Amino acid sequence: MSSSSGPLTEELQCSICLDVFTDPVSTPCGHNFCKTCLNKCWDNSQTCNCPYCKETFKIRPDLKINTTLRELVDHYKKKSPEKKTEVLKKPEVLCDVCEERKLKALKSCLVCQSSYCETHLEPHLRVAGLKKHKLINPERNLEDYICQKHERPLELFCRDDQTIVCLMCLVKDHQNHNTVPIEEESEEKKAQLMKTQKDTQQMIQERIKKIQDIKHSSEVRKRNTEKEKAARVELFTDLIRSIERCQTELLEMMKEQQKAAEKQEEELIEELEQEITELKMRNTELEQLSHTEDHLHLLQIHSSLCSSRNTRNWSEISVKIDESLEPLRRALTRLQDTLQEKLTLTDSTDLKRMQQYEVTLDPDTAHPELILSDDGKQVSCGDISQDLPDNPKRFDTCVSVLGKEGFSSGRFYFEVQVKGKTEWDLGVARESINRKGEITLRPSNGFWTVWLRNENEYSACDGPPVSLCVRVKPQRVGVFVDYEEGLVSFYDVESSSHIYSFTGQSFTGKLYPYFSPSLNYEGKNSAPLIITPV
C-alpha cells in the first residue's frame, strides 16, 4: 500500500488502497492500481478480475509499470508539502442511527458496537448508564476492538504475554500479570516509535552522507586517475624518447667506429702490401747475388743486402673485434640511469600522494636530556638532564623519543629535516621495545632504523649493520612504512633517491616513529630534528 505526502487527487489515486499510486500498473481494461495492491488482491482470489470494473481475465496479466503515470505521481509528490508524520487517508465512517441522510460519525461505542454522529451521540454524554460506555474515534471494524472470547471491550494490555485483553480476561487468565490500560501502553509504544524513528532518520542521514562521501571520493579518484594517466603517458613518452635517442646515438657511434676501423685496416693492408713488394725485390736481388761469380761485387754489396731493414714488428699489431660492444654497454648504462631516475621521481610523487602520517613527539617517552618544541614537531639534545618522572615508557639511557601516534595497519609516510646534523637516528619501533639501559638498534629488537655517524657515515641498523653509500648528504629524510607488506623504506626527499629498505619483515602490535638527535658534542650537533609537513 502506498501513502501520500500531500492532498490526494482522484487521477493519481489507487481505488484499492485509496492512496497515491506506488509503482502504478494498468490492467488490459485500462484501469490503474498500485502494483503491490493488485498483486495482493489477485493472490487472495481464485479469479483475476479488475477490482474496478470486475472484468475477468482468463490468464493472469503480466503487469508492467506505467512509466508515464509513475512520472506524474513522482512530480505530484515533489510538489506536495513534506510532512513530518505520514497520515494514511482512512475511509469515512458514517452514523449507524441516521436513516435518510447519514452524517459523519463523531465517535464509536465499543459496548453498543455502533457509531454516532454528534446528534445521536448526545445520550452517551448525558445518560448515566451510557456514560460508562467505552467511546473511541470512529471506526468501521468495531469487532476488532472487542474480545472475541468474552465479547467485552479490549481495554488492557498484558505486558507479560504481550497481548491485548478485556477486564474478564484479566480476572480469569491474567490475574497476577502486569497489565496496564492500552492508552498507557500505546503512549509508551509511541515514545519507542519516536525514538526508533529518530534513530532511523539518523541512519538515513548517515547513509545520505556516506553516499555523498562515496560520490566525492569517486570524483576525486577520477580526477586523480586522469592526472595519473597523464603522468604515466608522459613518463613512458620520455622513456621512449630516451630509448630512441640512445638508439640513434649508439648506431651513429657504431657507424663512426666502423669507418675508423675500416680506415685503419686499409692503412695497415696498404703498408703491408708495400713492405711485401719491397721484400720481394730484395729477395730477387739476394737470389741473383747467390749465383754471381763476381766475388768482388758480392763482397761490396753483401753488407747492404744482409743488414736489417727498418720494418714494423707486425707480431705486436692486432685488430680488435670486440670494441663495438663498449658503446652498447655505455648506452645501456645511460638508459638504465635515465629509467632509474624516472622511476625514483615517480616513487617520490606516489609517496606524497598517499596518506601522510601526522607525527607529533610523545613527551612521556623522551629521554630527560631531550628538548621538545611546544608543538611536538622538533627535538634536540640539551646539556643537562631535566627532572622528569621515570615512567615505563621513557628512555633512560639512549637519547631517544617516540611519536605519540602509533599504527598497526596500512601504509604511512612522514618526513624529517636532518639539516645541520652530524649524527642522528630515524625510523620506526615496536611498542614493546626495551626503553631502559643500553639498546641495540636492529629488527630483532623491534627497531627498523638508519643512522648518521661522524658527519658522513651512514648505516642501516640491520643485523649485522649495512654500510650505505650516499652520494649526496640528505637534508630531509622520508620514512615510508607498509605494515601488511612488512616494508620500511628511507628516501632522500630533495634528490628523490632511495636510501635503504627493510623488506620481508613481520610486524606485530603497533609501530611508532623513532627519533634520536644524538648527543650534542660542544655545539657541533645542536641542530634539531624537525618533523616537516609533506
Side-chain angles (χ1 to χ4, degrees):
M1 182 185 288
S2 161
S3 61
S4 65
S5 56
L8 296 177
T9 59
E10 292 182 359
E11 294 81 4
L12 304 179
Q13 184 176 345
C14 172
S15 59
I16 298 176
C17 66
L18 303 178
D19 212 337
V20 176
F21 289 119
T22 296
D23 292 333
V25 293
S26 299
T27 60
C29 56
H31 297 115
N32 302 310
F33 307 91
C34 296
K35 185 177 182 180
T36 302
C37 296
L38 186 56
N39 278 327
K40 189 180 295 185
C41 180
W42 285 350
D43 289 340
N44 296 328
S45 175
Q46 295 181 352
T47 59
C48 292
N49 53 25
C50 174
Y52 188 83
C53 67
K54 305 303 179 182
E55 180 178 344
T56 302
F57 311 112
K58 294 182 180 180
I59 300 176
R60 182 166 176 165
D62 185 15
L63 301 175
K64 303 292 184 183
I65 301 295
N66 187 329
T67 55
T68 303
L69 186 56
R70 183 171 63 180
E71 289 175 359
L72 290 173
V73 170
D74 292 341
H75 180 69
Y76 164 77
K77 288 182 178 180
K78 289 179 181 178
K79 290 181 63 177
S80 301
E82 187 177 354
K83 297 182 180 180
K84 292 184 179 179
T85 304
E86 189 178 77
V87 180
L88 299 179
K89 184 180 177 73
K90 299 175 69 174
E92 191 175 71
V93 179
L94 302 178
C95 178
D96 292 326
V97 181
C98 294
E99 294 182 354
E100 295 183 358
R101 181 174 175 271
K102 290 186 175 290
L103 299 178
K104 181 178 178 181
L106 184 64
K107 289 289 182 179
S108 295
C109 177
L110 295 180
V111 178
C112 301
Q113 290 285 288
S114 299
S115 299
Y116 303 102
C117 64
E118 184 177 5
T119 302
H120 294 114
L121 181 64
E122 188 270 336
H124 279 76
L125 304 176
R126 174 174 52 82
V127 180
L130 296 178
K131 283 184 179 182
K132 297 179 181 180
H133 288 191
K134 182 74 172 180
L135 297 177
I136 62 171
N137 290 329
E139 292 287 344
R140 277 189 173 183
N141 303 318
L142 291 176
E143 62 273 10
D144 293 342
Y145 294 80
I146 300 299
C147 176
Q148 299 299 315
K149 186 176 181 180
H150 303 110
E151 296 185 355
R152 297 222 176 176
L154 295 170
E155 302 180 78
L156 302 171
F157 182 80
C158 178
R159 289 178 173 175
D160 293 342
D161 295 335
Q162 292 292 301
T163 184
I164 303 173
V165 297
C166 68
L167 289 174
M168 191 63 68
C169 293
L170 175 62
V171 173
K172 292 186 176 183
D173 302 323
H174 301 264
Q175 188 172 4
N176 297 319
H177 291 188
N178 180 16
T179 56
V180 294
I182 58 173
E183 292 83 4
E184 180 180 337
E185 184 67 19
S186 176
E187 291 300 321
E188 186 171 327
K189 289 291 191 290
K190 282 183 181 179
Q192 294 177 1
L193 289 174
M194 291 179 65
K195 183 180 181 305
T196 303
Q197 182 186 21
K198 184 177 180 181
D199 294 341
T200 303
Q201 291 173 348
Q202 178 67 24
M203 293 170 65
I204 292 172
Q205 294 303 317
E206 289 174 355
R207 282 151 180 75
I208 291 174
K209 185 178 184 304
K210 179 60 67 176
I211 291 174
Q212 294 172 346
D213 293 342
I214 293 173
K215 289 182 178 179
H216 176 71
S217 299
S218 176
E219 293 174 358
V220 172
R221 179 181 52 78
K222 287 179 181 178
R223 290 197 298 267
N224 289 342
T225 299
E226 292 302 318
K227 291 180 182 178
E228 190 71 16
K229 286 167 61 177
R232 293 298 186 257
V233 169
E234 183 180 357
L235 169 63
F236 281 100
T237 301
D238 289 345
L239 289 175
I240 292 171
R241 289 173 181 170
S242 298
I243 293 172
E244 291 174 344
R245 184 167 59 252
C246 286
Q247 180 188 31
T248 302
E249 292 175 357
L250 175 62
L251 294 177
E252 188 65 30
M253 187 183 303
M254 294 177 69
K255 183 179 178 181
E256 294 297 326
Q257 285 191 345
Q258 179 67 17
K259 287 182 179 180
E262 290 176 354
K263 182 178 180 182
Q264 181 186 17
E265 292 164 357
E266 290 174 358
E267 292 175 350
L268 291 175
I269 292 173
E270 184 179 352
E271 186 177 349
L272 283 167
E273 289 176 343
Q274 184 177 349
E275 287 194 11
I276 289 172
T277 301
E278 293 177 355
L279 290 172
K280 285 181 178 180
M281 292 175 62
R282 183 182 179 190
N283 184 61
T284 301
E285 291 177 358
L286 290 172
E287 178 68 23
Q288 293 174 355
L289 186 60
S290 65
H291 296 89
T292 185
E293 297 294 334
D294 187 346
H295 304 295
L296 179 62
H297 179 65
L298 173 64
L299 294 174
Q300 288 176 340
I301 65 175
H302 175 270
S303 59
S304 62
L305 289 174
C306 292
S307 61
S308 60
R309 300 293 183 90
N310 186 19
T311 59
R312 182 182 295 192
N313 184 4
W314 290 99
S315 64
E316 298 178 354
I317 305 298
S318 64
V319 178
K320 297 180 180 180
I321 61 174
D322 61 345
E323 289 184 349
S324 60
L325 295 177
E326 189 58 32
L328 176 60
R329 294 191 188 98
R330 290 198 298 267
L332 290 177
T333 300
R334 288 199 305 273
L335 182 59
Q336 184 179 8
D337 291 342
T338 301
L339 178 61
Q340 185 61 43
E341 179 184 354
K342 297 291 185 184
L343 291 177
T344 300
L345 289 173
T346 302
D347 289 342
S348 177
T349 302
D350 288 343
L351 287 175
K352 292 184 179 182
R353 279 202 191 110
M354 75 175 56
Q355 178 184 4
Q356 284 97 45
Y357 181 52
E358 183 65 26
V359 178
T360 54
L361 301 171
D362 185 359
D364 292 337
T365 66
H367 184 276
E369 290 186 17
L370 293 183
I371 301 173
L372 276 58
S373 62
D374 293 337
D375 61 359
K377 297 292 185 180
Q378 300 185 29
V379 57
S380 59
C381 187
D383 297 325
I384 58 174
S385 180
Q386 305 172 73
D387 185 16
L388 299 174
D390 184 18
N391 62 66
K393 296 171 60 178
R394 191 180 305 282
F395 292 94
D396 65 354
T397 302
C398 296
V399 285
S400 307
V401 62
L402 297 180
K404 185 178 295 185
E405 301 82 7
F407 55 91
S408 56
S409 64
R411 299 187 297 171
F412 300 91
Y413 176 74
F414 59 92
E415 294 179 355
V416 182
Q417 178 180 305
V418 296
K419 183 178 181 180
K421 302 288 293 178
T422 59
E423 290 189 4
W424 50 258
D425 305 348
L426 280 179
V428 292
R430 200 163 43 222
E431 185 177 20
S432 59
I433 55 171
N434 176 36
R435 310 183 191 196
K436 307 300 180 182
E438 294 295 333
I439 297 172
T440 301
L441 301 179
R442 63 171 60 139
S444 59
N445 293 337
F447 296 88
W448 292 267
T449 60
V450 296
W451 72 18
L452 167 66
R453 294 292 184 269
N454 301 322
E455 296 191 26
N456 55 11
E457 296 177 6
Y458 295 88
S459 296
C461 302
D462 210 332
V466 179
S467 181
L468 303 177
C469 180
V470 180
R471 290 180 293 180
V472 180
K473 186 173 183 177
Q475 303 297 305
R476 191 159 43 140
V477 176
V479 182
F480 167 66
V481 179
D482 190 325
Y483 194 96
E484 283 73 21
E485 290 294 326
L487 173 68
V488 181
S489 295
F490 299 85
Y491 295 88
D492 180 349
V493 176
E494 294 186 355
S495 65
S496 297
S497 59
H498 175 254
I499 298 175
Y500 186 78
S501 288
F502 293 90
T503 59
Q505 305 298 305
S506 181
F507 300 131
T508 56
K510 283 189 176 183
L511 295 181
Y512 288 83
Y514 173 84
F515 309 86
S516 175
S518 198
L519 295 173
N520 183 3
Y521 300 104
E522 298 179 355
K524 292 183 179 179
N525 192 37
S526 59
L529 292 176
I530 303 174
I531 302 168
T532 59
V534 179

